[in-house]
Amino acid sequence: MQIVKTVAAMQSLAKKWQRAGVKIGFVPTMGYLHEGHLSLVREARKRVGKNGKVVVSIYVNPTQFAPTEDLSKYPRDLKRDLESCRAAGTDAVFTPTDKEMYSRWGESLSSPDSKKYLGSTESRPTTNYSTYVVEEKLSRAMEGASRPTHFRGVTTIVAKLFNIVLPDVAIFGQKDFQQAAIIKRMVADLNFPVKIIVAPTVRERDGLAMSSRNKYLVGDLRRQATVLWCAIQIARATVKKSKTFPAAKLKDAIKKLVECEPDAKLDYVEFFEPEILLPVSIVKSGTQMALAVFIGKTRLIDNVRI
Ligand code: AMP
């Protein structure tokens, strides 16, 4: 397995593979890998076959974090991640630095001043990084409403990574349903020559969706976090019983259920059309449900098709 740290080296490796007619499968991640990530790596291998190449990127992208969010304490363990990637049959891991990704023209992102601007919509007057990719429809609701600069950071980094890794196919997790929808839209709108695959959410035995941020859930918080899965089960059971159900009433019931847990606070719960992400007033089979819940300071998200 190759470990690639620079944009130039990754691009030249990808171009070499491309010239040889080798298919490239790509899994972008922020590291601290778990079984959910590794399921995407296996899906990538399935898609490109044994003669293809699977690339995993491990990069905690600062532009998708707001200044108030957990960028500096986001969990990291590169050594363990590299071992997991190797065991899962990855051909190359791309692990660039912030400087490599965002300051090619000489600015350091580690200065306290630049941290203020990364991930914010305010542009830093002196920064030399100034090009962003912005999706303007699907990004507005849910995660986009709660985290206004988040998707701009996501689409920008994914577009950059596509230009660096040159994948034929890229795998994203259904766990981040809205993100996957936005990436698909970006790829269609900007004609990226890459096929996007969305793979199912991998869960713990008690239903909690696997996430790098689950590491923050210590003591009783881990138990309380199962309330997202309980909320999903209750929504499903309600709709199964009555076939259709008013979204507003179901949202109220879910808020009450979530906030029975002492450290849980509902950020949002939404019911919407899965293709266009537009909210529905009546929930029925086939409606998509998504929710975000703070468990203590940790913000967790989940979603399912009802
Ligand atoms: P992240 O490292 O959180 O940016 O996630 C990288 C990729 O892994 C994204 O496409 C996520 O949707 C996907 N992912 C994260 N958690 C899971 C999970 N539990 N099951 C499947 N895919 C996941």
Side-chain angles (χ1 to χ4, degrees):
M1 185 177 81
Q2 302 189 54
I3 298 163
V4 185
K5 297 197 162 157
T6 68
V7 170
M10 187 65 239
Q11 260 171 344
S12 86
L13 183 61
K15 278 188 195 157
K16 188 182 89 183
W17 286 336
Q18 243 184 8
R19 277 195 302 271
V22 171
K23 273 204 171 213
I24 303 173
F26 178 42
V27 180
T29 82
M30 299 206 299
Y32 210 71
L33 303 180
H34 50 66
E35 204 33 54
H37 295 114
L38 299 177
S39 74
L40 308 186
V41 176
R42 289 191 284 272
E43 183 62 34
R45 172 59 65 199
K46 232 194 267 168
R47 299 278 166 173
V48 299
K50 67 176 180 353
N51 296 325
K53 299 289 182 187
V54 172
V55 180
V56 175
S57 65
I58 297 178
Y59 178 59
V60 182
N61 171 37
T63 62
Q64 69 192 69
F65 289 77
T68 51
E69 292 177 348
D70 58 344
L71 172 61
S72 61
K73 64 179 174 83
Y74 194 83
R76 294 161 213 244
D77 189 342
L78 185 60
K79 190 164 170 267
R80 200 194 63 174
D81 286 350
L82 293 175
E83 280 162 18
S84 305
C85 285
R86 192 173 284 118
T90 305
D91 295 291
V93 173
F94 179 51
T95 59
T97 58
D98 285 342
K99 191 160 178 234
E100 189 65 21
M101 293 305 278
Y102 285 108
S103 354
R104 294 190 63 200
W105 318 112
E107 286 233 21
S108 165
L109 294 187
S110 55
S111 74
D113 191 30
S114 44
K115 286 232 167 82
K116 172 171 178 253
Y117 289 95
L118 267 177
S120 127
T121 46
E122 230 179 311
S123 57
R124 184 185 182 191
T126 55
T127 192
N128 287 316
Y129 190 88
S130 54
T131 306
Y132 292 87
V133 177
V134 181
E135 192 287 326
E136 295 192 330
K137 284 208 176 99
L138 308 181
S139 314
R140 289 205 179 127
M142 298 185 282
E143 289 302 287
S146 293
R147 307 178 69 191
T149 59
H150 173 66
F151 285 125
R152 183 188 73 146
V154 170
T155 40
T156 299
I157 194 67
V158 172
K160 284 164 71 66
L161 289 167
F162 284 175
N163 285 332
I164 295 164
V165 176
L166 309 177
D168 296 283
V169 55
I171 323 291
F172 291 83
Q174 161 128 34
K175 157 82 177 10
D176 299 274
F177 186 88
Q178 191 179 9
Q179 166 176 286
I182 290 165
I183 298 295
K184 278 197 214 156
R185 179 64 62 91
M186 176 189 84
V187 161
D189 285 351
L190 299 182
N191 311 99
F192 278 96
V194 55
K195 184 176 167 65
I196 302 299
I197 304 293
V198 182
T201 302
V202 177
R203 299 179 178 281
E204 303 287 357
R205 289 168 71 112
D206 61 7
L208 177 67
M210 289 192 180
S211 163
S212 307
R213 288 190 169 99
N214 291 353
K215 178 183 159 60
Y216 302 144
L217 302 170
V218 291
D220 189 54
L221 296 178
R222 173 64 185 80
R223 181 198 60 77
Q224 293 184 45
T226 57
V227 79
L228 284 90
W229 186 237
C230 285
I232 285 170
Q233 296 307 309
I234 281 176
R236 277 182 161 162
T238 306
V239 174
K240 194 168 177 201
K241 201 164 141 206
S242 65
K243 301 287 179 257
T244 62
F245 202 84
K249 245 173 112 179
L250 202 44
K251 284 185 192 178
D252 280 349
I254 284 168
K255 184 170 167 62
K256 282 202 188 97
L257 170 89
V258 166
E259 296 186 356
C260 279
E261 292 295 347
D263 300 297
K265 188 164 183 340
L266 183 73
D267 185 5
Y268 67 79
V269 55
E270 198 53 84
F271 295 94
F272 55 98
E273 295 279 356
E275 300 304 326
I276 46 176
L277 309 194
L278 279 182
V280 295
S281 53
I282 299 292
V283 182
K284 54 184 198 289
S285 168
T287 301
Q288 195 77 22
M289 167 183 179
L291 76 169
V293 176
F294 282 99
I295 302 289
K297 287 188 182 139
T298 305
R299 188 171 176 282
L300 302 177
I301 58 171
D302 204 344
N303 73 89
V304 292
R305 188 76 52 95
I306 297 283

